[in-house]
């Protein structure tokens, strides 16, 4: 079957309590970076605000953002630190419409009523059957390749294995990635594998640890800093494979956000957390599918800054979020945020990526 994006069901504002609801209250910012008292904090769901008698959908929604009425009459989502004196912030803490604020959590809800109220294994765990999830993801990514914006959020585990590193590189080269978000470790160990055949000193294929291989990731960082950039290193060392190589050669944006424990770090790693957040957000706000692999902190960060919906060609559509990790706690942490479209798979990310490559890229079509 041809993949179809779920249809969005608009609220019916031609009924109560919407008709008699007042306009949303607006208070101007008095101090840069400080929201007015009783400000409204946004959720991940579509939110509507009554302005001059008309219900207006926020251009996007994002956890812990503040709704600001723009000069063009649109509702903008602004981080607290980016509020400026004079910004018109919508205030109010109720969500059912009586303050001119309506949080709409049922826009993409299924009308399926056949499910049992009580059922075994209704959570997501190592015992869950994932065949249907894989098949739906294959269809989704084939659609999103040409019609969406696929953002990958990567932990280093995905490049520790020879096959998964090659598989993800192939997926990027064949158009199944439009942006990659990661940290210093993923890029470092991917380039280490390209140059030395190891990741954190261990051979990515046979798991052997050659003499002094524990120096390899530091040597790699040092060489990159000497070259001045990752691109310059790739050219200087003749690197021809890997996730970073595929992203750079295919002009896929690569955002590397730093952390306090980073070695080096590599030259493009963004040390300022707010600058890194801004760069990540450029891609999460465009995302139509987000795939997070084995990185709890990056996953939660990216998930929280990703809208639950987006507008494409005038249509409102869901943003699909996938979280894959071997630890049940890690996947449930993101799912607990209440997103409309988070699908979690408790599995080895290396096996997951290889499955995707084998099913999305046919022999003789891609590599």
């Amino acid at each position: 079957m041809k993949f179809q994006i779920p249809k969005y069901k608009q609220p019916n504002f031609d009924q109560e309590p919407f008709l008699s609801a007042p306009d949303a209250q607006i208070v101007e910012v008095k101090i840069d970076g400080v929201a007015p008292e009783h400000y409204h904090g946004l959720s991940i769901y579509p939110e509507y605000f009554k302005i001059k008698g008309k219900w207006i959908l926020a251009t996007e929604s994002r956890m812990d953002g503040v709704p600001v009425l723009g000069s063009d009459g649109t509702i903008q989502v602004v981080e607290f630190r980016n509020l400026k004196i004079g910004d018109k912030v919508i205030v109010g803490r109720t969500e059912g419409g009586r303050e001119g604020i309506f949080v709409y959590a049922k826009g993409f809800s299924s009308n399926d009523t056949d499910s049992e109220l009580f059922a075994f294994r209704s959570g997501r765990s190592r015992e869950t059957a994932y065949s249907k999830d894989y098949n739906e993801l294959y269809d989704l990514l084939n659609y999103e390749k040409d019609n969406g914006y696929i953002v990958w959020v990567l932990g280093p585990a995905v490049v520790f294995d020879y096959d998964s590193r090659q598989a993800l590189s192939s997926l990027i080269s064949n158009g199944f990635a439009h942006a990659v978000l990661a940290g210093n470790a993923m890029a470092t160990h991917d380039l280490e594998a390209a140059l030395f055949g190891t990741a954190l000193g261990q051979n990515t294929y046979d798991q052997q640890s050659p003499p002094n291989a524990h120096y390899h990731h530091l040597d790699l960082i040092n060489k990159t800093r000497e070259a001045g950039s990752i691109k310059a290193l790739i050219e200087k060392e003749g690197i021809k494979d890997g996730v970073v190589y595929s992203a750079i050669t295919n002009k896929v944006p690569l955002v590397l956000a730093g952390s306090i424990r980073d070695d080096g770090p590599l030259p493009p790693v963004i040390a300022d957390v707010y600058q890194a957040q801004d760069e990540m957000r450029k891609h999460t706000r465009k995302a139509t599918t987000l795939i997070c692999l084995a990185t709890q902190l990056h996953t939660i960060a990216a998930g929280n800054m990703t809208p639950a919906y987006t507008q494409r060609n005038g249509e409102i559509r869901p943003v699909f979020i996938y979280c894959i990790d071997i630890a049940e706690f890690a996947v449930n942490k993101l799912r607990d945020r209440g997103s409309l479209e988070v699908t979690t798979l408790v599995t080895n990310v290396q096996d997951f990526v290889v499955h995707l490559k084998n099913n999305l890229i046919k022999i003789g079509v891609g590599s």
Side-chain angles (χ1 to χ4, degrees):
M1 288 180 61
K2 182 180 179 182
F3 178 80
Q4 292 185 328
I5 292 292
K7 293 295 184 182
Y8 181 71
K9 307 176 188 69
Q10 293 276 2
N12 183 4
F13 290 114
D14 294 325
Q15 62 181 13
E16 295 295 348
F18 305 115
L19 288 173
S20 59
D23 280 356
Q25 185 179 356
I26 296 170
V27 177
E28 290 192 2
V29 172
K30 302 300 183 184
I31 304 172
D32 284 346
V34 179
E37 288 288 329
H38 212 56
Y39 61 83
H40 177 74
L42 286 156
S43 68
I44 60 168
Y45 297 106
E47 299 200 23
Y48 291 83
F49 302 88
K50 196 171 185 179
I51 307 295
K52 295 182 180 179
K54 182 179 179 181
W55 287 93
I56 299 173
L57 176 67
T59 53
E60 59 186 58
S61 195
R62 193 163 58 250
M63 284 182 67
D64 303 329
V66 180
V68 173
L69 179 63
S71 58
D72 59 355
T74 61
I75 307 295
Q76 304 296 322
V77 180
V78 180
E79 293 76 31
F80 285 82
R81 61 188 167 86
N82 291 325
L83 290 171
K84 302 297 182 186
I85 293 174
D87 280 351
K88 297 178 178 180
V89 172
I90 295 174
V91 298
R93 296 288 171 92
T94 61
E95 302 175 344
R98 63 186 178 88
E99 288 185 283
I101 300 170
F102 180 56
V103 180
Y104 188 45
K106 299 181 179 179
F108 301 104
S109 297
S110 169
N111 293 320
D112 179 19
T113 58
D114 292 335
S115 298
E116 294 283 350
L117 293 178
F118 173 80
F120 290 111
R121 300 193 304 142
S122 58
R124 308 286 286 186
S125 72
R126 287 165 289 183
E127 296 180 338
T128 300
Y130 295 117
S131 297
K132 180 173 180 287
D133 296 317
Y134 274 107
N135 288 333
E136 289 177 345
L137 182 56
Y138 302 149
D139 291 340
L140 173 64
L141 292 180
N142 274 315
Y143 174 86
E144 297 283 64
K145 177 181 177 181
D146 298 315
N147 300 284
Y149 197 83
I150 305 167
V151 177
W152 293 79
V153 183
L154 304 178
V158 74
V159 299
F160 281 179
D161 174 75
Y162 179 87
D163 285 340
S164 64
R165 179 172 171 271
Q166 297 299 322
L168 185 53
S169 301
S170 183
L171 288 166
I172 294 170
S173 296
N174 281 273
F176 291 101
H178 300 109
V180 174
L181 312 180
N184 182 66
M186 189 288 295
T188 294
H189 298 309
D190 177 69
L191 290 167
E192 177 193 346
L195 204 56
F196 300 108
T198 61
L200 203 57
Q202 185 184 81
N203 187 281
T204 59
Y205 185 76
D206 62 19
Q207 301 176 39
Q208 297 300 307
S209 297
N212 281 329
H214 61 282
Y215 277 104
H216 285 175
H217 73 287
L218 296 174
D219 289 342
L220 182 282
I221 291 171
N222 209 40
K223 286 178 178 291
T224 309
R225 294 176 70 85
E226 181 184 30
S229 69
I230 288 177
K231 186 176 180 181
L233 176 81
I234 288 173
E235 293 172 354
K236 180 180 179 180
E237 299 293 340
I239 291 173
K240 296 294 184 183
D241 71 293
V243 172
V244 173
Y245 168 81
S246 294
I248 289 177
T249 55
N250 289 281
K251 295 181 172 56
V252 173
L254 176 65
V255 178
L256 302 178
S259 75
I260 201 165
R261 63 185 291 251
D262 285 344
D263 296 318
L266 292 170
V269 172
I270 303 169
D272 185 314
V273 293
Y274 294 120
Q275 182 187 350
Q277 187 184 96
D278 289 341
E279 290 302 311
M280 290 173 67
R281 188 167 279 132
K282 288 178 182 178
H283 302 287
T284 59
R285 71 196 314 168
K286 293 191 294 183
T288 56
T289 292
L290 188 76
I291 304 177
C292 306
L293 304 180
T295 172
Q296 184 175 312
L297 293 180
H298 269 75
T299 292
I300 295 168
N304 285 351
M305 67 175 70
T306 302
Y309 69 95
T310 188
Q311 298 189 56
R312 288 268 170 159
N313 302 318
E315 296 289 329
I316 299 170
R317 56 152 289 176
V319 175
F320 296 92
I321 302 177
Y322 283 80
C323 179
I324 296 87
D325 203 293
I326 200 68
E328 291 176 23
F329 173 81
V331 299
N332 289 326
K333 182 69 174 176
L334 182 61
R335 189 175 178 84
D336 282 347
R337 67 190 280 269
S339 178
L340 297 174
E341 293 294 340
V342 171
T343 299
T344 58
L345 283 77
V346 182
T347 188
N348 186 313
V349 294
Q350 297 161 352
D351 296 336
F352 171 82
V353 173
V354 172
H355 274 307
L356 289 193
K357 186 266 181 183
N358 288 343
N359 282 271
L360 292 173
I361 303 171
K362 306 306 179 184
I363 295 175
V365 176
S367 59

